[in-house]
């Protein structure tokens, strides 16, 4: 059995200034490396600081690369529909060299409708623009001619196409990722269908894995990453106290978008797929998630609990010592 890789994921949502968010996230990734995590993942969000604190993920990862040695560095995700594909190709090529080949490139089409407008597109155009930009990105990495016979990507990055991950919420998107031979990225939570509010997350995501594996070309090894919210503390009571305000904020956000979310902490934890408590409780909760038995990679994030920095560092330690060994296989 292939050893599962364990990752730390941050949306850079610490309750402080942008500069401090970047410093604290760097410290958290360094701590994850020291405690044996295999990868660190960061998200890109434009304009809205409460959704995520980082519009320039490749720039930030270049900084992190200079302060780490072994941990793999991934984007989860670059919102490619809002980017210039050739500039992404160039920046990823440089970053991969600076990090000694540690870069993993997670891509997605984005989800906040108003964020598309300054980039000259609407959310309704995102799928077609994403597909076009992905084609340009892969072409550049392959070394194809770029607009003129003299133009080719420099520095060359022929192996980055083998480290692409596609984020999706749908079975159809998972099949497309598999057919192309890319990695599949599964979210930490997603809204339930209105007519099936009691579906579990693994009931929604196992069909995506099935479609991905069925579409994967022969000879291509699957790469499936599942993100999960996991906050581990030294006691269940302490974890619950810290979890309550964050999950309440996330529940309010979901309700504002028209989704039905319960009002008790336990209802919100179940519907927002948050695993929190002491190490024993979180380990048993995660072991019941059948998706995690099928993936190659798991990334843990504290969002939407978003505890203080010191508690994030402690959670990283407890996951490394008590959770990761049980999940790695």
């Amino acid at each position: 059995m292939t050893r599962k890789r364990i990752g730390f994921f941050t949306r850079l949502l610490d309750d402080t200034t942008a500069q401090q968010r970047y410093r604290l996230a760097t410290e958290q990734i360094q701590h994850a490396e020291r405690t044996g995590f295999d990868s660190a993942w960061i998200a890109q969000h434009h304009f809205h600081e409460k959704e995520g604190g980082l519009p320039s993920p490749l720039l930030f990862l270049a900084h992190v690369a200079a302060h780490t040695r072994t941990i793999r560095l991934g984007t989860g995700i670059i919102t490619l529909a809002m980017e210039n594909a050739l500039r992404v190709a160039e920046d990823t090529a440089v970053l991969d060299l600076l990090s000694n080949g540690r870069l993993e490139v997670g891509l997605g089409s984005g989800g906040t409708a108003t964020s598309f407008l300054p980039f000259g597109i609407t959310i309704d155009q995102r799928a077609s623009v994403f597909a076009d930009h992905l084609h340009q990105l892969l072409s550049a990495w392959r070394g194809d001619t770029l607009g003129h016979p003299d133009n080719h990507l420099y520095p060359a990055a022929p192996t980055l196409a083998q480290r692409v991950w596609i984020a999706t919420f749908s079975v159809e998107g998972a099949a497309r990722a598999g057919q192309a031979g890319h990695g599949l990225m599964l979210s930490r939570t997603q809204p339930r269908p209105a007519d099936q509010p009691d579906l579990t997350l693994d009931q929604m995501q196992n069909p995506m894995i099935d479609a991905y594996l069925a579409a994967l070309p022969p000879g291509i090894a699957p790469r499936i990453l599942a993100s999960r919210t996991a906050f581990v503390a030294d006691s269940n009571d302490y974890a619950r106290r810290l979890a309550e305000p964050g999950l309440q904020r996330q529940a309010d956000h979901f309700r504002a978008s028209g989704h039905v979310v319960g009002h008790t902490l336990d209802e919100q934890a179940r519907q927002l797929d948050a695993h929190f408590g002491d190490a024993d409780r979180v380990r048993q909760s995660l072991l019941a998630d059948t998706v995690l038995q099928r993936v190659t990679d798991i990334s843990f994030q504290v969002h939407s609990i978003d505890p203080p920095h010191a508690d994030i560092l402690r959670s990283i330690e407890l996951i490394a010592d008590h959770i990761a060994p049980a999940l790695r296989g």
Side-chain angles (χ1 to χ4, degrees):
M1 179 183 293
T2 302
R3 174 183 180 272
K4 283 184 173 60
R5 294 176 293 264
I6 303 298
F8 169 72
F9 180 91
T10 176
R11 288 175 63 174
L12 284 80
L13 286 167
D14 302 85
D15 187 18
T16 184
T17 65
Q19 184 179 35
Q20 279 290 88
R21 281 180 169 184
Y22 302 151
R23 182 183 69 81
L24 295 179
T26 302
E27 290 182 7
Q28 291 159 15
I29 292 171
Q30 289 176 303
H31 199 55
E33 180 179 72
R34 284 193 297 268
T35 55
F37 278 66
D38 301 291
S39 62
W41 300 81
I42 49 90
Q44 179 183 41
H45 290 86
H46 293 286
F47 313 125
H48 305 284
E49 66 179 273
K50 293 183 179 180
E51 290 186 3
L54 185 62
S56 304
L58 298 175
L59 181 60
F60 175 73
L61 286 182
H63 168 76
V64 172
H67 291 81
T68 56
R69 293 181 58 201
T70 60
I71 197 166
R72 300 198 66 76
L73 304 173
T75 58
I77 55 171
I78 294 171
T79 50
L80 191 59
M82 303 181 196
E83 299 290 329
N84 181 302
L86 293 181
R87 292 294 296 119
V88 173
E90 292 175 326
D91 287 348
T92 53
V94 172
L95 175 53
D96 197 46
L97 292 178
L98 293 175
S99 65
N100 291 319
R102 287 188 281 146
L103 182 60
E104 302 285 337
V105 186
L107 304 170
S109 56
T112 302
T114 58
S115 294
F116 291 88
L117 302 178
F119 295 95
I121 60 174
T122 68
I123 193 170
D124 295 332
Q125 297 171 294
R126 62 177 175 169
S128 61
V129 175
F130 174 83
D132 182 54
H133 287 190
L134 179 58
H135 175 77
Q136 294 178 45
L137 180 62
L138 296 172
S139 176
W141 281 339
R142 281 196 305 265
D144 295 348
T145 296
L146 302 173
H148 186 278
D150 292 344
N151 294 341
H152 300 275
L153 184 69
Y154 180 86
T159 66
L160 278 177
Q162 300 165 24
R163 286 177 263 155
V164 169
W165 303 75
I166 303 297
T168 185
F169 285 101
S170 72
V171 169
E172 295 78 14
R176 285 193 297 270
Q179 187 175 31
H182 300 318
L184 173 66
M185 302 185 81
L186 301 172
S187 64
R188 64 181 179 87
T189 189
Q190 59 190 86
R192 276 47 172 179
D195 59 341
Q196 295 177 289
D198 295 323
L199 277 180
T200 62
L201 186 61
D202 55 359
Q203 286 175 319
M204 299 177 70
Q205 292 185 341
N206 272 316
M208 298 180 199
I209 295 177
D210 293 339
Y212 171 78
L213 294 174
L216 202 65
I220 302 296
R223 292 179 293 124
I224 307 170
L225 183 149
S227 184
R228 290 296 184 264
T229 295
F231 171 58
V232 188
D234 289 297
S235 76
N236 284 316
D237 288 344
Y238 185 68
R240 289 179 69 86
R241 285 202 302 275
L242 290 186
E244 189 164 13
L247 290 181
Q248 185 61 58
R249 286 192 300 270
Q250 185 72 5
D252 292 342
H253 176 75
F254 268 52
R255 290 192 199 99
S257 300
H259 304 292
V260 177
V261 183
H263 292 275
T264 71
L265 180 59
D266 289 330
E267 288 173 335
Q268 292 165 1
R270 183 178 69 256
Q271 294 167 320
L272 300 174
D273 306 294
H275 306 263
F276 55 86
D278 63 20
D280 287 339
R281 183 183 183 91
V282 174
R283 182 173 58 248
Q284 292 306 313
S285 179
L286 290 167
L287 287 173
D289 185 338
T290 61
V291 160
L292 301 188
Q293 301 166 20
R294 306 180 67 191
V295 301
T296 59
D297 297 73
I298 306 168
S299 65
F300 291 115
Q301 59 179 295
V302 294
H303 181 74
S304 55
I305 293 170
D306 299 321
H309 177 63
D311 294 297
I312 294 175
L313 297 181
R314 180 57 177 156
S315 181
I316 288 170
E317 294 170 357
L318 291 168
I319 289 173
D321 290 342
H322 302 288
I323 309 297
L327 294 174
R328 277 198 168 108

